[in-house]
Amino acid sequence: MPVSVHSVIATNLATTVSSNRFHRNVSRRRIFSSSVKCSVETAEADRWVKLKNGNDSLEICRVLNGMWQTSGGWGKIDRNDAVDAMLRHADAGLSTFDMADHYGPAEDLYGIFINRVRRERPPEYLEKIKGLTKWVPPPIKMTSSYVRQNIDISRKRMDVAALDMLQFHWWDYANDGYLDALKHLTDLKEEGKIKTVALTNFDTERLQKILENGIPVVSNQVQHSIVDMRPQQRMAQLCELTGVKLITYGTVMGGLLSEKFLDTNLTIPFAGPRLNTPSLQKYKRMVDAWGGWNLFQGLLRTMKSISTKHGVSIPTVAVRYVLDQQGVAGSMIGVRLGLAEHIQDANAIFSLVLDEEDVNSIQEVTKKGKDLLQVIGDCGDEYRRI
């Protein structure tokens, strides 16, 4: 008889979940229950990846266009310029867009964009376009009608019959209403209103619980960078066992992992680049928790050496490093639509191959930093600590 995911996960992970430890060299195991088994299939020189769980599947670009930057704080977004920029990204093969219900006009911009694609591009082009959104409700009672109403709002804003992916976030684990919400989302998937159900910012323990309840999620979107390697300590091991994949954000740390911040001293007022966006401020706090600005400068110098060796930029190295990590299906690069573009750097990620020397030199620096799992907690805990 097939081995159920419930018994396999319980047997192999209960001890490690309770003890807060996973081993990097855990042996690979296959889950034979077809109703929950996920897999990933790569094609076209690493550009595309197919997320699968049972009969659910979605092919996305491994480098995603993150649209948090449309929500304010990064500069005023002009609607027409933003949609033009979305078309340029898609024309360049960067055809997966990540957004959320609370990212300002992001879902509305996608709706305008997808209609332009329908009018101005061939049908086979449209098939490559994917819009991933998130739903971040308050932790109240999750009724079927409430969930349906909110998903219908996103469907209307994005002007699609079915959401390609709905990534669900929950604020309060003490309230297990997230299981009710996910079951209602699964019902909507069965009705054809959602193609794939996924998570964002869930920790390992709760991901395991969700899978044990038979909810067919295909991915979990989490913060993951060369500095923040928490997902590789616990989450990736569960993903290896179950086939759930990781989509990462914060991978270039809002732009901190770039030439712009190399050889700068932020301790002297006005001496370095301003931390003038929400993402720069957020990830500067992560640098402080990890090891401070001097250690971060050592990391940037190492990455600059690697980027020069390969003829690419520091952000390209940063994303490639994370894409090569266990369980990672795709990584986010924030797009300031109509204000700045990094299409060439993004496309260079697919052809970049980091060799053993590159990886070792990065790890020589990162091992000097603090263990953020101990400082912050597991994936998503930074949003739930008071």
Side-chain angles (χ1 to χ4, degrees), residues 140-203:
I140 60 177
K141 185 174 178 60
M142 292 289 111
T143 64
S144 175
S145 60
Y146 180 78
V147 174
R148 181 183 299 272
Q149 176 186 0
N150 281 274
I151 298 311
D152 283 345
I153 291 172
S154 289
R155 290 171 57 235
K156 182 177 180 179
R157 293 180 68 191
M158 296 173 68
D159 201 8
V160 293
L163 301 175
D164 290 322
M165 178 184 287
L166 191 285
Q167 300 166 105
F168 176 72
H169 174 89
W170 190 251
W171 292 107
D172 182 10
Y173 291 146
N175 179 345
D176 64 2
Y178 65 89
L179 292 173
D180 295 326
L182 284 164
K183 289 172 182 175
H184 295 318
L185 290 172
T186 302
D187 291 339
L188 292 174
K189 178 183 69 68
E190 296 301 318
E191 291 180 22
K193 293 190 174 184
I194 300 170
K195 294 180 182 177
T196 52
V197 175
L199 306 173
T200 182
N201 291 317
F202 272 80
D203 66 8

Short mmCIF file of all heavy atoms in Angstrom, two decimals, residues 140-203:
data_model
loop_
_atom_site.label_atom_id
_atom_site.label_comp_id
_atom_site.label_asym_id
_atom_site.label_seq_id
_atom_site.Cartn_x
_atom_site.Cartn_y
_atom_site.Cartn_z
N ILE A 140 -9.36 36.43 11.82
CA ILE A 140 -10.74 36.33 12.29
C ILE A 140 -11.32 35.00 11.81
O ILE A 140 -10.62 34.21 11.18
CB ILE A 140 -11.58 37.51 11.78
CG1 ILE A 140 -11.61 37.52 10.25
CG2 ILE A 140 -11.05 38.82 12.33
CD1 ILE A 140 -12.48 38.61 9.65
N LYS A 141 -12.57 34.75 12.10
CA LYS A 141 -13.20 33.50 11.70
C LYS A 141 -13.23 33.40 10.18
O LYS A 141 -13.70 34.30 9.49
CB LYS A 141 -14.62 33.41 12.25
CG LYS A 141 -15.31 32.07 11.97
CD LYS A 141 -16.64 31.98 12.66
CE LYS A 141 -17.35 30.67 12.35
NZ LYS A 141 -16.56 29.49 12.77
N MET A 142 -12.72 32.29 9.66
CA MET A 142 -12.60 32.08 8.23
C MET A 142 -13.78 31.25 7.72
O MET A 142 -13.74 30.01 7.72
CB MET A 142 -11.28 31.37 7.91
CG MET A 142 -10.04 32.20 8.17
SD MET A 142 -9.81 33.55 6.98
CE MET A 142 -10.12 34.96 8.04
N THR A 143 -14.84 31.95 7.31
CA THR A 143 -15.99 31.25 6.73
C THR A 143 -15.80 31.11 5.24
O THR A 143 -15.01 31.83 4.62
CB THR A 143 -17.28 32.04 6.99
OG1 THR A 143 -17.21 33.30 6.31
CG2 THR A 143 -17.49 32.28 8.48
N SER A 144 -16.54 30.19 4.65
CA SER A 144 -16.45 29.98 3.20
C SER A 144 -16.80 31.24 2.44
O SER A 144 -16.12 31.62 1.47
CB SER A 144 -17.38 28.84 2.78
OG SER A 144 -17.38 28.69 1.37
N SER A 145 -17.84 31.94 2.88
CA SER A 145 -18.28 33.14 2.16
C SER A 145 -17.25 34.26 2.26
O SER A 145 -17.02 35.00 1.30
CB SER A 145 -19.63 33.62 2.70
OG SER A 145 -19.54 33.92 4.09
N TYR A 146 -16.61 34.38 3.43
CA TYR A 146 -15.60 35.43 3.61
C TYR A 146 -14.39 35.17 2.71
O TYR A 146 -13.88 36.09 2.06
CB TYR A 146 -15.17 35.49 5.08
CG TYR A 146 -14.13 36.55 5.37
CD1 TYR A 146 -14.50 37.88 5.47
CD2 TYR A 146 -12.80 36.21 5.55
CE1 TYR A 146 -13.55 38.87 5.74
CE2 TYR A 146 -11.84 37.18 5.83
CZ TYR A 146 -12.23 38.51 5.92
OH TYR A 146 -11.29 39.48 6.17
N VAL A 147 -13.93 33.93 2.68
CA VAL A 147 -12.79 33.59 1.84
C VAL A 147 -13.14 33.81 0.37
O VAL A 147 -12.37 34.42 -0.40
CB VAL A 147 -12.37 32.13 2.08
CG1 VAL A 147 -11.27 31.71 1.10
CG2 VAL A 147 -11.89 31.94 3.52
N ARG A 148 -14.30 33.33 -0.03
CA ARG A 148 -14.73 33.47 -1.43
C ARG A 148 -14.81 34.95 -1.84
O ARG A 148 -14.36 35.34 -2.93
CB ARG A 148 -16.08 32.80 -1.62
CG ARG A 148 -16.63 32.85 -3.05
CD ARG A 148 -18.02 32.22 -3.10
NE ARG A 148 -17.96 30.83 -2.68
CZ ARG A 148 -17.73 29.81 -3.52
NH1 ARG A 148 -17.54 30.05 -4.81
NH2 ARG A 148 -17.70 28.57 -3.06
N GLN A 149 -15.37 35.76 -0.96
CA GLN A 149 -15.53 37.18 -1.27
C GLN A 149 -14.17 37.84 -1.54
O GLN A 149 -14.02 38.63 -2.48
CB GLN A 149 -16.23 37.88 -0.11
CG GLN A 149 -16.36 39.39 -0.26
CD GLN A 149 -16.94 40.05 0.98
OE1 GLN A 149 -17.25 39.39 1.97
NE2 GLN A 149 -17.08 41.37 0.95
N ASN A 150 -13.19 37.53 -0.71
CA ASN A 150 -11.88 38.15 -0.87
C ASN A 150 -11.13 37.64 -2.09
O ASN A 150 -10.44 38.42 -2.76
CB ASN A 150 -11.06 37.93 0.41
CG ASN A 150 -11.45 38.89 1.51
OD1 ASN A 150 -10.95 40.00 1.58
ND2 ASN A 150 -12.37 38.47 2.36
N ILE A 151 -11.27 36.37 -2.39
CA ILE A 151 -10.62 35.84 -3.60
C ILE A 151 -11.26 36.43 -4.85
O ILE A 151 -10.58 36.74 -5.83
CB ILE A 151 -10.68 34.31 -3.61
CG1 ILE A 151 -9.91 33.75 -2.41
CG2 ILE A 151 -10.11 33.76 -4.91
CD1 ILE A 151 -8.53 34.32 -2.19
N ASP A 152 -12.58 36.61 -4.80
CA ASP A 152 -13.26 37.23 -5.94
C ASP A 152 -12.78 38.66 -6.18
O ASP A 152 -12.72 39.12 -7.34
CB ASP A 152 -14.77 37.21 -5.73
CG ASP A 152 -15.39 35.84 -5.98
OD1 ASP A 152 -14.71 34.99 -6.59
OD2 ASP A 152 -16.55 35.63 -5.57
N ILE A 153 -12.43 39.36 -5.12
CA ILE A 153 -11.89 40.72 -5.28
C ILE A 153 -10.58 40.69 -6.06
O ILE A 153 -10.38 41.47 -7.00
CB ILE A 153 -11.69 41.39 -3.91
CG1 ILE A 153 -13.04 41.68 -3.25
CG2 ILE A 153 -10.89 42.68 -4.05
CD1 ILE A 153 -12.94 42.16 -1.81
N SER A 154 -9.70 39.78 -5.71
CA SER A 154 -8.43 39.67 -6.44
C SER A 154 -8.65 39.23 -7.88
O SER A 154 -7.99 39.73 -8.80
CB SER A 154 -7.49 38.69 -5.73
OG SER A 154 -7.00 39.24 -4.52
N ARG A 155 -9.56 38.32 -8.10
CA ARG A 155 -9.85 37.86 -9.47
C ARG A 155 -10.36 39.02 -10.32
O ARG A 155 -9.97 39.17 -11.49
CB ARG A 155 -10.89 36.74 -9.45
CG ARG A 155 -10.36 35.43 -8.88
CD ARG A 155 -11.48 34.41 -8.68
NE ARG A 155 -12.18 34.15 -9.93
CZ ARG A 155 -13.50 34.27 -10.09
NH1 ARG A 155 -14.27 34.66 -9.09
NH2 ARG A 155 -14.06 34.01 -11.25
N LYS A 156 -11.20 39.86 -9.73
CA LYS A 156 -11.73 41.01 -10.46
C LYS A 156 -10.63 42.02 -10.75
O LYS A 156 -10.53 42.55 -11.87
CB LYS A 156 -12.86 41.65 -9.66
CG LYS A 156 -13.50 42.84 -10.37
CD LYS A 156 -14.67 43.39 -9.56
CE LYS A 156 -15.31 44.58 -10.30
NZ LYS A 156 -16.47 45.12 -9.52
N ARG A 157 -9.81 42.34 -9.74
CA ARG A 157 -8.74 43.32 -9.93
C ARG A 157 -7.73 42.85 -10.98
O ARG A 157 -7.28 43.65 -11.80
CB ARG A 157 -8.03 43.59 -8.60
CG ARG A 157 -8.86 44.28 -7.54
CD ARG A 157 -8.06 44.49 -6.27
NE ARG A 157 -6.99 45.47 -6.46
CZ ARG A 157 -6.03 45.69 -5.59
NH1 ARG A 157 -5.98 44.99 -4.44
NH2 ARG A 157 -5.10 46.60 -5.81
N MET A 158 -7.40 41.58 -10.96
CA MET A 158 -6.42 41.05 -11.90
C MET A 158 -7.05 40.66 -13.23
O MET A 158 -6.34 40.31 -14.17
CB MET A 158 -5.72 39.84 -11.27
CG MET A 158 -4.90 40.19 -10.04
SD MET A 158 -4.24 38.74 -9.17
CE MET A 158 -3.06 38.13 -10.38
N ASP A 159 -8.36 40.72 -13.32
CA ASP A 159 -9.13 40.42 -14.53
C ASP A 159 -8.82 39.03 -15.06
O ASP A 159 -8.51 38.84 -16.25
CB ASP A 159 -8.88 41.47 -15.61
CG ASP A 159 -10.00 41.48 -16.65
OD1 ASP A 159 -11.02 40.80 -16.43
OD2 ASP A 159 -9.85 42.15 -17.68
N VAL A 160 -8.91 38.04 -14.19
CA VAL A 160 -8.69 36.65 -14.57
C VAL A 160 -9.83 35.79 -14.03
O VAL A 160 -10.39 36.08 -12.96
CB VAL A 160 -7.34 36.11 -14.06
CG1 VAL A 160 -6.18 36.82 -14.75
CG2 VAL A 160 -7.22 36.25 -12.54
N ALA A 161 -10.16 34.74 -14.75
CA ALA A 161 -11.19 33.81 -14.27
C ALA A 161 -10.67 32.98 -13.12
O ALA A 161 -11.42 32.64 -12.19
CB ALA A 161 -11.64 32.91 -15.42
N ALA A 162 -9.38 32.64 -13.17
CA ALA A 162 -8.76 31.85 -12.11
C ALA A 162 -7.40 32.44 -11.77
O ALA A 162 -6.61 32.77 -12.66
CB ALA A 162 -8.59 30.39 -12.57
N LEU A 163 -7.13 32.60 -10.48
CA LEU A 163 -5.81 33.04 -10.04
C LEU A 163 -4.80 31.94 -10.31
O LEU A 163 -5.03 30.78 -9.97
CB LEU A 163 -5.83 33.36 -8.55
CG LEU A 163 -6.82 34.44 -8.08
CD1 LEU A 163 -6.78 34.55 -6.56
CD2 LEU A 163 -6.52 35.78 -8.74
N ASP A 164 -3.67 32.29 -10.93
CA ASP A 164 -2.64 31.27 -11.18
C ASP A 164 -2.15 30.65 -9.88
O ASP A 164 -1.98 29.44 -9.78
CB ASP A 164 -1.45 31.89 -11.93
CG ASP A 164 -1.79 32.26 -13.35
OD1 ASP A 164 -2.55 31.50 -14.00
OD2 ASP A 164 -1.30 33.30 -13.84
N MET A 165 -1.93 31.50 -8.88
CA MET A 165 -1.52 31.01 -7.56
C MET A 165 -2.02 31.97 -6.50
O MET A 165 -1.90 33.19 -6.64
CB MET A 165 0.01 30.89 -7.46
CG MET A 165 0.50 30.44 -6.07
SD MET A 165 2.31 30.41 -5.91
CE MET A 165 2.70 28.97 -6.90
N LEU A 166 -2.57 31.41 -5.44
CA LEU A 166 -2.95 32.20 -4.27
C LEU A 166 -2.05 31.78 -3.13
O LEU A 166 -2.07 30.62 -2.68
CB LEU A 166 -4.43 31.98 -3.92
CG LEU A 166 -5.08 32.92 -2.88
CD1 LEU A 166 -4.64 32.59 -1.45
CD2 LEU A 166 -4.76 34.38 -3.18
N GLN A 167 -1.22 32.71 -2.67
CA GLN A 167 -0.30 32.46 -1.56
C GLN A 167 -0.91 33.05 -0.28
O GLN A 167 -1.19 34.24 -0.21
CB GLN A 167 1.06 33.10 -1.86
CG GLN A 167 1.69 32.54 -3.13
CD GLN A 167 2.85 33.40 -3.61
OE1 GLN A 167 4.01 33.05 -3.46
NE2 GLN A 167 2.53 34.55 -4.20
N PHE A 168 -1.09 32.20 0.71
CA PHE A 168 -1.85 32.57 1.91
C PHE A 168 -0.92 32.87 3.08
O PHE A 168 0.02 32.11 3.35
CB PHE A 168 -2.80 31.42 2.27
CG PHE A 168 -3.57 31.63 3.54
CD1 PHE A 168 -4.60 32.56 3.59
CD2 PHE A 168 -3.28 30.90 4.68
CE1 PHE A 168 -5.33 32.76 4.77
CE2 PHE A 168 -3.99 31.09 5.85
CZ PHE A 168 -5.01 32.02 5.90
N HIS A 169 -1.19 33.98 3.76
CA HIS A 169 -0.43 34.36 4.96
C HIS A 169 -1.37 34.40 6.16
O HIS A 169 -2.54 34.76 6.03
CB HIS A 169 0.19 35.75 4.76
CG HIS A 169 0.87 36.29 5.99
ND1 HIS A 169 2.19 36.05 6.28
CD2 HIS A 169 0.39 37.06 7.01
CE1 HIS A 169 2.51 36.65 7.42
NE2 HIS A 169 1.43 37.27 7.89
N TRP A 170 -0.84 34.07 7.33
CA TRP A 170 -1.62 34.09 8.57
C TRP A 170 -0.79 34.70 9.68
O TRP A 170 0.38 34.34 9.88
CB TRP A 170 -2.05 32.68 8.94
CG TRP A 170 -3.06 32.58 10.05
CD1 TRP A 170 -2.83 32.13 11.32
CD2 TRP A 170 -4.45 32.93 9.98
NE1 TRP A 170 -4.01 32.16 12.04
CE2 TRP A 170 -5.01 32.65 11.24
CE3 TRP A 170 -5.27 33.44 8.97
CZ2 TRP A 170 -6.36 32.87 11.52
CZ3 TRP A 170 -6.61 33.66 9.26
CH2 TRP A 170 -7.14 33.37 10.51
N TRP A 171 -1.38 35.62 10.44
CA TRP A 171 -0.62 36.36 11.43
C TRP A 171 -0.43 35.63 12.76
O TRP A 171 0.61 35.76 13.40
CB TRP A 171 -1.31 37.70 11.71
CG TRP A 171 -1.27 38.66 10.56
CD1 TRP A 171 -2.30 39.01 9.74
CD2 TRP A 171 -0.14 39.39 10.10
NE1 TRP A 171 -1.89 39.91 8.80
CE2 TRP A 171 -0.56 40.17 8.99
CE3 TRP A 171 1.20 39.47 10.49
CZ2 TRP A 171 0.29 41.01 8.29
CZ3 TRP A 171 2.06 40.31 9.80
CH2 TRP A 171 1.61 41.07 8.71
N ASP A 172 -1.44 34.89 13.19
CA ASP A 172 -1.47 34.41 14.58
C ASP A 172 -1.65 32.90 14.63
O ASP A 172 -2.75 32.38 14.40
CB ASP A 172 -2.63 35.10 15.32
CG ASP A 172 -2.70 34.70 16.78
OD1 ASP A 172 -1.75 34.05 17.28
OD2 ASP A 172 -3.71 35.04 17.43
N TYR A 173 -0.58 32.17 14.93
CA TYR A 173 -0.65 30.71 14.99
C TYR A 173 -1.50 30.21 16.15
O TYR A 173 -1.95 29.05 16.14
CB TYR A 173 0.75 30.11 15.11
CG TYR A 173 1.60 30.27 13.87
CD1 TYR A 173 2.99 30.44 13.99
CD2 TYR A 173 1.06 30.21 12.60
CE1 TYR A 173 3.79 30.57 12.87
CE2 TYR A 173 1.85 30.33 11.48
CZ TYR A 173 3.22 30.51 11.62
OH TYR A 173 3.99 30.63 10.51
N ALA A 174 -1.71 31.05 17.17
CA ALA A 174 -2.57 30.63 18.29
C ALA A 174 -4.01 30.44 17.83
O ALA A 174 -4.79 29.75 18.48
CB ALA A 174 -2.50 31.66 19.42
N ASN A 175 -4.35 31.04 16.73
CA ASN A 175 -5.66 30.90 16.11
C ASN A 175 -5.51 29.97 14.91
O ASN A 175 -4.90 30.34 13.90
CB ASN A 175 -6.17 32.28 15.67
CG ASN A 175 -7.52 32.23 14.99
OD1 ASN A 175 -8.00 31.18 14.59
ND2 ASN A 175 -8.13 33.40 14.84
N ASP A 176 -6.03 28.76 15.03
CA ASP A 176 -5.83 27.79 13.94
C ASP A 176 -6.86 27.94 12.82
O ASP A 176 -7.06 27.02 12.02
CB ASP A 176 -5.83 26.35 14.48
CG ASP A 176 -7.16 25.95 15.10
OD1 ASP A 176 -8.11 26.77 15.08
OD2 ASP A 176 -7.25 24.82 15.60
N GLY A 177 -7.45 29.11 12.73
CA GLY A 177 -8.36 29.39 11.62
C GLY A 177 -7.69 29.33 10.27
O GLY A 177 -8.38 29.27 9.24
N TYR A 178 -6.35 29.35 10.24
CA TYR A 178 -5.65 29.24 8.96
C TYR A 178 -5.96 27.91 8.27
O TYR A 178 -5.99 27.84 7.04
CB TYR A 178 -4.15 29.43 9.14
CG TYR A 178 -3.43 28.40 9.96
CD1 TYR A 178 -2.90 27.25 9.39
CD2 TYR A 178 -3.24 28.59 11.33
CE1 TYR A 178 -2.22 26.31 10.14
CE2 TYR A 178 -2.56 27.67 12.10
CZ TYR A 178 -2.06 26.53 11.50
OH TYR A 178 -1.39 25.59 12.26
N LEU A 179 -6.23 26.86 9.06
CA LEU A 179 -6.59 25.58 8.45
C LEU A 179 -7.96 25.67 7.78
O LEU A 179 -8.16 25.13 6.68
CB LEU A 179 -6.59 24.47 9.50
CG LEU A 179 -5.22 24.11 10.08
CD1 LEU A 179 -5.38 23.13 11.23
CD2 LEU A 179 -4.32 23.53 9.00
N ASP A 180 -8.90 26.37 8.40
CA ASP A 180 -10.21 26.56 7.79
C ASP A 180 -10.07 27.36 6.49
O ASP A 180 -10.68 27.01 5.47
CB ASP A 180 -11.15 27.31 8.74
CG ASP A 180 -11.47 26.51 9.99
OD1 ASP A 180 -11.54 25.27 9.90
OD2 ASP A 180 -11.63 27.13 11.07
N ALA A 181 -9.28 28.43 6.54
CA ALA A 181 -9.09 29.26 5.35
C ALA A 181 -8.50 28.45 4.21
O ALA A 181 -8.95 28.54 3.06
CB ALA A 181 -8.19 30.45 5.68
N LEU A 182 -7.50 27.65 4.51
CA LEU A 182 -6.85 26.86 3.47
C LEU A 182 -7.78 25.79 2.90
O LEU A 182 -7.71 25.48 1.70
CB LEU A 182 -5.58 26.22 4.02
CG LEU A 182 -4.40 27.21 4.17
CD1 LEU A 182 -3.32 26.63 5.07
CD2 LEU A 182 -3.83 27.56 2.80
N LYS A 183 -8.64 25.24 3.73
CA LYS A 183 -9.61 24.28 3.21
C LYS A 183 -10.61 24.96 2.28
O LYS A 183 -10.99 24.40 1.24
CB LYS A 183 -10.32 23.58 4.38
CG LYS A 183 -9.40 22.61 5.12
CD LYS A 183 -10.03 22.06 6.40
CE LYS A 183 -9.06 21.15 7.14
NZ LYS A 183 -9.60 20.68 8.43
N HIS A 184 -11.03 26.17 2.63
CA HIS A 184 -11.93 26.91 1.75
C HIS A 184 -11.21 27.29 0.45
O HIS A 184 -11.82 27.26 -0.63
CB HIS A 184 -12.45 28.16 2.45
CG HIS A 184 -13.31 27.88 3.65
ND1 HIS A 184 -14.26 26.88 3.66
CD2 HIS A 184 -13.35 28.47 4.88
CE1 HIS A 184 -14.86 26.87 4.84
NE2 HIS A 184 -14.33 27.82 5.59
N LEU A 185 -9.95 27.66 0.55
CA LEU A 185 -9.18 27.97 -0.66
C LEU A 185 -9.05 26.74 -1.55
O LEU A 185 -9.11 26.84 -2.79
CB LEU A 185 -7.79 28.50 -0.28
CG LEU A 185 -7.75 29.90 0.36
CD1 LEU A 185 -6.35 30.21 0.87
CD2 LEU A 185 -8.20 30.97 -0.64
N THR A 186 -8.87 25.58 -0.94
CA THR A 186 -8.81 24.34 -1.71
C THR A 186 -10.14 24.08 -2.42
O THR A 186 -10.16 23.62 -3.57
CB THR A 186 -8.44 23.16 -0.79
OG1 THR A 186 -7.18 23.43 -0.16
CG2 THR A 186 -8.32 21.87 -1.59
N ASP A 187 -11.25 24.38 -1.75
CA ASP A 187 -12.56 24.24 -2.39
C ASP A 187 -12.66 25.16 -3.61
O ASP A 187 -13.18 24.75 -4.66
CB ASP A 187 -13.68 24.58 -1.40
CG ASP A 187 -13.83 23.53 -0.30
OD1 ASP A 187 -13.36 22.39 -0.50
OD2 ASP A 187 -14.41 23.86 0.76
N LEU A 188 -12.17 26.39 -3.48
CA LEU A 188 -12.20 27.32 -4.60
C LEU A 188 -11.31 26.85 -5.74
O LEU A 188 -11.61 27.08 -6.91
CB LEU A 188 -11.78 28.72 -4.13
CG LEU A 188 -12.76 29.43 -3.20
CD1 LEU A 188 -12.18 30.74 -2.70
CD2 LEU A 188 -14.09 29.68 -3.89
N LYS A 189 -10.22 26.19 -5.39
CA LYS A 189 -9.36 25.59 -6.42
C LYS A 189 -10.13 24.52 -7.17
O LYS A 189 -10.08 24.46 -8.41
CB LYS A 189 -8.10 25.00 -5.79
CG LYS A 189 -7.17 24.31 -6.79
CD LYS A 189 -5.99 23.67 -6.10
CE LYS A 189 -6.40 22.49 -5.26
NZ LYS A 189 -6.88 21.36 -6.08
N GLU A 190 -10.87 23.71 -6.46
CA GLU A 190 -11.65 22.66 -7.10
C GLU A 190 -12.75 23.25 -7.99
O GLU A 190 -13.15 22.64 -8.98
CB GLU A 190 -12.27 21.74 -6.05
CG GLU A 190 -11.26 20.95 -5.22
CD GLU A 190 -10.38 20.07 -6.08
OE1 GLU A 190 -10.91 19.44 -7.02
OE2 GLU A 190 -9.16 20.02 -5.83
N GLU A 191 -13.22 24.44 -7.64
CA GLU A 191 -14.23 25.12 -8.46
C GLU A 191 -13.63 25.80 -9.68
O GLU A 191 -14.37 26.30 -10.53
CB GLU A 191 -14.96 26.17 -7.62
CG GLU A 191 -15.85 25.60 -6.54
CD GLU A 191 -16.55 26.70 -5.74
OE1 GLU A 191 -16.66 27.84 -6.28
OE2 GLU A 191 -16.96 26.44 -4.60
N GLY A 192 -12.30 25.87 -9.76
CA GLY A 192 -11.65 26.50 -10.90
C GLY A 192 -11.38 27.98 -10.73
O GLY A 192 -11.02 28.66 -11.70
N LYS A 193 -11.49 28.51 -9.50
CA LYS A 193 -11.21 29.92 -9.27
C LYS A 193 -9.76 30.18 -8.89
O LYS A 193 -9.30 31.32 -8.93
CB LYS A 193 -12.15 30.48 -8.20
CG LYS A 193 -13.60 30.51 -8.65
CD LYS A 193 -14.47 31.28 -7.68
CE LYS A 193 -15.89 31.42 -8.23
NZ LYS A 193 -16.75 32.27 -7.34
N ILE A 194 -9.06 29.14 -8.50
CA ILE A 194 -7.64 29.20 -8.17
C ILE A 194 -6.97 27.99 -8.82
O ILE A 194 -7.51 26.88 -8.74
CB ILE A 194 -7.41 29.16 -6.64
CG1 ILE A 194 -8.10 30.33 -5.94
CG2 ILE A 194 -5.92 29.14 -6.31
CD1 ILE A 194 -8.10 30.21 -4.42
N LYS A 195 -5.82 28.18 -9.44
CA LYS A 195 -5.14 27.05 -10.07
C LYS A 195 -4.24 26.31 -9.09
O LYS A 195 -4.18 25.08 -9.11
CB LYS A 195 -4.32 27.54 -11.27
CG LYS A 195 -5.18 28.07 -12.41
CD LYS A 195 -4.33 28.55 -13.57
CE LYS A 195 -5.19 29.13 -14.68
NZ LYS A 195 -4.38 29.67 -15.80
N THR A 196 -3.54 27.05 -8.24
CA THR A 196 -2.68 26.42 -7.24
C THR A 196 -2.76 27.20 -5.93
O THR A 196 -2.84 28.42 -5.92
CB THR A 196 -1.20 26.36 -7.69
OG1 THR A 196 -0.77 27.67 -8.09
CG2 THR A 196 -1.02 25.38 -8.84
N VAL A 197 -2.73 26.46 -4.83
CA VAL A 197 -2.74 27.04 -3.49
C VAL A 197 -1.32 26.96 -2.92
O VAL A 197 -0.65 25.94 -3.04
CB VAL A 197 -3.73 26.30 -2.57
CG1 VAL A 197 -3.64 26.83 -1.14
CG2 VAL A 197 -5.15 26.43 -3.10
N ALA A 198 -0.88 28.05 -2.31
CA ALA A 198 0.47 28.11 -1.75
C ALA A 198 0.44 28.91 -0.46
O ALA A 198 -0.61 29.42 -0.04
CB ALA A 198 1.43 28.72 -2.77
N LEU A 199 1.59 29.04 0.16
CA LEU A 199 1.73 29.75 1.43
C LEU A 199 2.76 30.86 1.31
O LEU A 199 3.58 30.86 0.39
CB LEU A 199 2.17 28.79 2.54
CG LEU A 199 1.34 27.53 2.75
CD1 LEU A 199 2.04 26.62 3.77
CD2 LEU A 199 -0.07 27.87 3.21
N THR A 200 2.73 31.77 2.25
CA THR A 200 3.82 32.73 2.39
C THR A 200 4.09 32.98 3.86
O THR A 200 3.15 33.12 4.66
CB THR A 200 3.51 34.06 1.66
OG1 THR A 200 4.63 34.93 1.79
CG2 THR A 200 2.27 34.73 2.18
N ASN A 201 5.36 32.92 4.22
CA ASN A 201 5.82 33.20 5.59
C ASN A 201 5.28 32.25 6.64
O ASN A 201 5.08 32.63 7.79
CB ASN A 201 5.51 34.66 5.97
CG ASN A 201 6.33 35.65 5.19
OD1 ASN A 201 7.53 35.45 5.00
ND2 ASN A 201 5.69 36.69 4.70
N PHE A 202 5.05 31.00 6.27
CA PHE A 202 4.74 29.97 7.26
C PHE A 202 6.03 29.31 7.73
O PHE A 202 6.98 29.17 6.97
CB PHE A 202 3.78 28.93 6.67
CG PHE A 202 2.34 29.29 6.82
CD1 PHE A 202 1.73 30.19 5.95
CD2 PHE A 202 1.57 28.77 7.86
CE1 PHE A 202 0.41 30.55 6.09
CE2 PHE A 202 0.24 29.12 8.01
CZ PHE A 202 -0.35 30.01 7.13
N ASP A 203 6.05 28.90 8.99
CA ASP A 203 7.22 28.22 9.52
C ASP A 203 7.13 26.72 9.26
O ASP A 203 6.13 26.21 8.74
CB ASP A 203 7.42 28.53 11.00
CG ASP A 203 6.31 27.98 11.90
OD1 ASP A 203 5.44 27.22 11.40
OD2 ASP A 203 6.33 28.29 13.11
#
